[in-house]
């Protein structure tokens, strides 16, 4: 019996051991399988990884369809491959055609606007085209969870064949086909507004998206879905049915680096930058936080009631009247429904392009207030414009434009003169193209702001640059003409404000713009001898000119006071001639660039060529005067001022000054020489500057002046008279200063003036300057005592010396005596010094 039990136990043990081993083997097999599976799944770069495929399937989510339905939809879809040239063009578009990725939104909105234009045009003849969906809008919605951006329009939509033809071929223009079918002459103007290109513009989507899904519904077909990853595309019927009603929805599944385009602010900025003047409303799905009142729950109401009861139980020391008032308020509060304020985030469609393109309307229909609001909206200026011009230009290129003149010039306009300005914005059919046009306006008109909108301006495929520069030149020419006409029409009071801000711009325009020089000359204003306060135009100057006056006289200087006292204007003012005062640095440059104005030449009264009296009798008298003073003019030219002047002549322009230095017709006046020497980038000893500055000038003398008469008397008596030579040199140097030039030898000039003063005051030229008296030094003992007295006021340890006298020791012991002693000694020193000075002065007198 026992043997049987032992045998059964052994068999049982063996059976259990075998069962355990079998389980271990099966577990090991399962582990090995798992390891192999994990190895396959851990390869991040494997294209057959089932997890990666699953992620790709889940990446594209279409509203109303789950992952399985999307997968089934793809399996049933018609697969198409882009043509070889399309693939090459796609790479070109994505990598180099567009400079700025953000324009993808501009292109898609433009295409949506074209689709809306088409359905609106069809609805004019077929009222059933719009159906129940009469709203023509563009809506943009960002889905951050799925990293998708949806652009939806209620336009004409596309059939299945349209999706294949228009989106499968580069630059296949649906609008072009649409216009070809509707070749009605009466609707030509309407059709020119249609620019839709579901071609190159559409493919700019791949600048920011890995995959693009287009859902479209046309009135003549069912709703279809077009999907592409830029290498191939598929088209399939939408299993959801007609969800759009009519129109298209473009869904961009953005790249990681393009996630910023999912932000509401970024989208809004792009819409306002490129598409704010689209004819149709553009809505953006945005959130906003509001504070709203919500009813309180029962539990919260009970808690508040309990709190109020606790407050009632608290001891009250207030008066009875206060208790009654509190009870009344509590009763009123109990009657009202119990609510609480809660911050709530709500989502809704918000209109983005509220500004409308007023330039498309007639000028008579627009009020000044609308112009001002429009100007402020696009220029970011807080003030109203000073002037405006609204016009339509026709010819080689047709465009509409509104130009504005601001009230103030930008502060950095001349420090950065010639740099790029973005004040003129170019639109094509109300779609913003660029504001980076260097040649749109000349530099001197860079302050002008405005918009230019053309319907037939040819663009390249990226819509960023113009194909024909010739048309740009035409636009620029018309803009400049219209701007100058606008400035000419500004009223007198407003023009004074304009001239105060922009006078330098107009003067620079005279120098730079030879084509419009005559028009710009009419805008010039200068100070004049005719008025102390108001400026004058050249046209007004001509009206006041004398009968036989053949030139417009002007004098340039640094200030009005300087030019009014200039010797060059003396006789002109005395005879009643009007002289223009050029007191700004750019004025003389400006006038030199003007050869004439309405047949009258300009005459700088500080240069040669001035002819005041033109009668024959006056000419004879002047000729006789020249002969009388020929000896003195010859002596000045060949003797006294031989190396300083070109020649000396009798003057027609001087009345009170003895003489003046006159530049040649092509030389520098004193004002111009000062400006050229003050240039920040002027080079030392520049050959071109040296040529002008070193030119000898003509000395004109006033024969009626007593100094000139005295000089003539001395020279006729003795041509070698040194005093006469000195007088001539001093007169030349004073004339140099009076004429606005710089003296080269200022110390020599000062010495000659001092010599003249000595002679005039009967002081001997040999008398020397009195020497300064020698300083009398104090005795050594006195100085030592003063030093010791000063040392008592400070620290004793800081003033120790190796040799100490007995007197210094006594001074330290008796500080009061030491302080008094130097004062008495100083008094004695002063008296001694005074005696010595008196002795020395007596010696000198003796």
């Amino acid at each position: 019996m026992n043997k049987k039990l032992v045998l059964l136990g052994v068999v049982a043990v063996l059976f259990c051991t075998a069962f355990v081993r079998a389980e271990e083997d099966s577990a090991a097999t399962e582990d090995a399988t798992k390891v192999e599976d994990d190895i396959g799944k851990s390869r991040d770069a494997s294209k057959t990884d089932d997890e990666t495929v699953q992620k790709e399937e889940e990446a594209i989510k279409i509203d109303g369809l789950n992952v399985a339905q999307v997968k089934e939809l793809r399996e049933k879809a018609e697969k198409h491959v882009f043509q070889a040239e399309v693939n090459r063009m796609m790479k070109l578009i994505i990598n180099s055609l567009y400079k700025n990725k953000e324009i993808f939104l501009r292109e898609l909105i433009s295409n949506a606007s074209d689709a809306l234009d088409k359905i609106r045009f069809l609805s004019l003849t077929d009222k059933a085209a719009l159906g129940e969906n009469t709203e023509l809008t563009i809506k943009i919605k960002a889905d951050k969870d799925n990293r998708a951006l949806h652009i939806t329009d209620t336009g004409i939509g596309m059939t299945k064949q349209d999706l294949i033809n228009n989106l499968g071929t580069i630059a296949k223009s649906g609008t072009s086909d649409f216009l070809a079918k509707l070749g009605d002459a009466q609707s030509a103007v309407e059709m020119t507004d249609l620019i839709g290109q579901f071609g190159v513009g559409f493919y700019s989507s791949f600048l920011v998206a890995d995959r693009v899904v287009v859902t479209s519904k046309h009135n003549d077909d069912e709703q279809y879905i077009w999907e592409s990853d830029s290498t191939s595309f598929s088209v399939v019927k939408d299993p959801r049915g007609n969800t759009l009603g009519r129109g298209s929805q473009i869904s961009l599944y953005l790249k990681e680096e393009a996630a910023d385009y999912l932000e509401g602010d970024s989208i809004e900025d792009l819409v306002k930058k490129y598409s704010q003047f689209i004819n149709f409303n553009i809505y953006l799905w945005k959130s906003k936080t509001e504070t709203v009142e919500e009813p309180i729950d029962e539990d919260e109401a009970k808690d508040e009631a309990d709190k109020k009861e606790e407050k009632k139980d608290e001891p009250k020391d207030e008066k009875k009247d206060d208790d009654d008032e509190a009870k009344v308020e509590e009763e009123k509060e109990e009657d009202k429904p119990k609510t609480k304020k809660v911050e709530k985030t709500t989502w809704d469609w918000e209109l983005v392009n509220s500004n409308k393109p007023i330039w498309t309307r007639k000028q008579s229909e627009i009020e000044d207030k609308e112009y001002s609001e429009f100007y402020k909206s696009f220029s970011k200026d807080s003030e109203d414009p000073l002037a405006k011009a609204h016009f339509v230009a026709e010819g080689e290129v047709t465009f509409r434009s509104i130009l504005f003149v601001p009230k103030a010039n930008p502060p950095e306009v001349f420090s950065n003169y010639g740099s790029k300005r973005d004040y003129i914005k170019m639109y094509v059919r109300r779609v913003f193209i660029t504001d980076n046009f260097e040649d749109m306006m000349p530099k001197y008109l860079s302050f002008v702001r405005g918009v230019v909108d053309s319907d037939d301006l040819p663009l390249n495929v990226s819509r960023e640059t113009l194909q024909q520069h010739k048309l740009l030149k035409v636009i620029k020419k018309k803009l400049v003409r219209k701007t100058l006409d606008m400035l000419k029409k500004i009223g007198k009071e407003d023009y004074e404000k304009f001239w105060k801000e922009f006078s330098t711009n107009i003067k620079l325009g005279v120098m730079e713009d030879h084509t419009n020089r005559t028009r710009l000359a009419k805008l010039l204003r200068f100070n004049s001898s005719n008025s102390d306060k108001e400026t004058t135009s050249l046209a007004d100057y001509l009206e006041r000119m004398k009968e036989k006056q053949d030139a417009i006289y002007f004098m340039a200087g640094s200030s009005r006071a300087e030019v009014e006292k200039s010797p060059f204007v003396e006789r002109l003012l005395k005879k009643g001639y009007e002289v223009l005062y050029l007191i700004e640095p750019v004025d003389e440059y400006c006038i030199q660039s003007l050869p004439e104005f309405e047949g009258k030449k300009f005459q700088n009264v500080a240069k040669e060529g001035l002819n005041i009296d033109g009668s024959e009798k006056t000419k004879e008298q002047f000729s006789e005067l020249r002969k009388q003073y020929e000896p003195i003019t010859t002596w000045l030219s060949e003797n006294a001022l031989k190396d300083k002047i070109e020649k000396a002549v009798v003057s027609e322009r001087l009345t009170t000054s003895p003489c003046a230095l006159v530049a040649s017709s092509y030389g520098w006046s004193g004002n111009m020489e000062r400006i050229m020497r003050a240039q920040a980038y002027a080079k030392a000893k520049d050959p071109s500057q040296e040529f002008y500055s070193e030119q000898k000038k003509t000395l004109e003398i006033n024969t009626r002046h007593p100094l000139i008469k005295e000089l003539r008397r001395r020279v006729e008596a003795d041509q070698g008279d040194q005093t006469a030579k000195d007088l001539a040199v001093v007169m030349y140097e004073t004339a140099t200063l009076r004429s606005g030039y710089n003296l080269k030898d200022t110390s020599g000039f000062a010495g000659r003036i001092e010599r003249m003063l000595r002679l005039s005051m009967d002081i001997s030229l040999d008398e020397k300057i009195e020497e300064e008296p020698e300083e009398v030094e104090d005795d050594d003992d006195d100085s030592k005592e003063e030093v010791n007295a000063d040392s008592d006021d400070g620290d004793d340890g800081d003033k120790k010396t190796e040799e100490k006298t007995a007197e210094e020791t006594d001074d330290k012991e008796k500080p009061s005596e030491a302080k008094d002693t130097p004062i008495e000694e100083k008094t004695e020193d002063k008296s001694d010094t005074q005696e010595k000075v008196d002795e020395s002065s007596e010696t000198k007198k003796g």
Side-chain angles (χ1 to χ4, degrees), residues 723 726 754-765:
T723 303
D726 288 347
E754 181 187 338
R755 185 172 182 275
M756 299 291 289
L757 290 172
R758 280 175 176 263
L759 293 175
S760 64
M761 299 176 70
D762 293 331
I763 299 175
S764 174
L765 297 176

Side-chain angles (χ1 to χ4, degrees), residues 146-158:
N146 297 314
R147 210 164 68 217
L149 184 65
H150 307 286
I151 297 98
T152 309
D153 66 74
T154 56
I156 195 169
M158 286 180 283

Side-chain angles (χ1 to χ4, degrees), residues 735-747:
T736 302
L737 294 174
R738 199 190 298 254
S739 303
Y741 296 99
N742 292 326
L743 278 177
K744 295 180 180 179
D745 185 12
T746 54
S747 60

Side-chain angles (χ1 to χ4, degrees), residues 721-738:
D721 188 354
Q722 186 60 38
T723 303
K725 289 183 179 180
D726 288 347
L727 178 62
V729 172
V730 170
M731 288 174 60
Y732 161 77
E733 290 174 332
T734 54
T736 302
L737 294 174
R738 199 190 298 254

Side-chain angles (χ1 to χ4, degrees), residues 107 144 154 174 219 244 379 442 492 555 573 604 675 773:
E107 297 294 332
K144 291 185 179 180
T154 56
N219 287 338
L244 294 175
S379 68
K492 185 177 181 180
M555 176 63 199
L573 297 180
N604 188 339
I675 292 172

Side-chain angles (χ1 to χ4, degrees), residues 254-295:
L254 301 181
K255 302 173 183 178
E256 289 186 8
E257 63 268 20
D260 184 55
Y261 297 117
L262 295 172
E263 299 295 332
D265 293 338
S266 299
I267 298 171
E268 186 174 356
D269 290 342
L270 290 179
V271 172
K272 287 184 176 180
K273 180 179 180 181
Y274 291 106
S275 309
Q276 66 171 328
F277 298 118
I278 291 290
N279 279 338
F280 304 98
N281 289 338
I282 302 174
Y283 292 95
L284 178 62
W285 186 250
K286 290 189 70 176
S287 65
K288 57 182 178 180
T289 304
E290 296 178 340
T291 303
V292 296
E293 291 190 356
E294 290 186 350

Side-chain angles (χ1 to χ4, degrees), residues 162-173:
D162 290 337
L163 288 170
I164 295 172
N165 293 339
N166 294 350
L167 305 190
T169 307
I170 290 292
K172 174 64 178 177
S173 175

